[in-house]
Amino acid sequence: MSKTSTLLDLVCAQRRQMRLIIALVIAMGLFLLLSLLFVEPGDRSYPILVIDIVLVVAALLFFSATHWYCTKRAMDD
């Protein structure tokens, strides 16, 4: 087995925990959307809010794509 295949096996073994992580990332995104109501461009905390939104969206995309791939891989086996 190659190192990539071994790594994918280890990641896909955590598929059940990925659902929890996706739920937490969605909750963090909802809280960030709520904070958008109180922060305006030009505030000192606005750049931090933008960085947080980028990180939450990237995490959601990464874990959703990984969960989808692992589910597809499990169905093919």
Side-chain angles (χ1 to χ4, degrees):
M1 273 173 51
S2 67
K3 290 182 181 182
T4 305
S5 179
T6 304
L7 180 64
L8 286 174
D9 289 340
L10 290 173
V11 170
C12 288
Q14 305 301 319
R15 189 173 55 159
R16 188 170 172 178
Q17 286 80 5
M18 282 185 220
R19 292 182 196 159
L20 177 64
I21 293 172
I22 291 170
L24 288 173
V25 170
I26 289 171
M28 289 186 330
L30 291 175
F31 285 128
L32 281 173
L33 289 178
L34 179 66
S35 67
L36 274 175
L37 298 173
F38 301 104
V39 177
E40 298 175 355
D43 289 345
R44 290 178 63 193
S45 59
Y46 187 75
I48 296 171
L49 180 65
V50 171
I51 291 170
D52 285 345
I53 289 172
V54 169
L55 290 174
V56 166
V57 168
L60 183 62
L61 289 174
F62 173 76
F63 284 109
S64 297
T66 305
H67 186 269
W68 172 80
Y69 175 78
C70 290
T71 302
K72 182 181 171 193
R73 187 175 180 209
M75 292 174 73
D76 289 342
D77 289 340

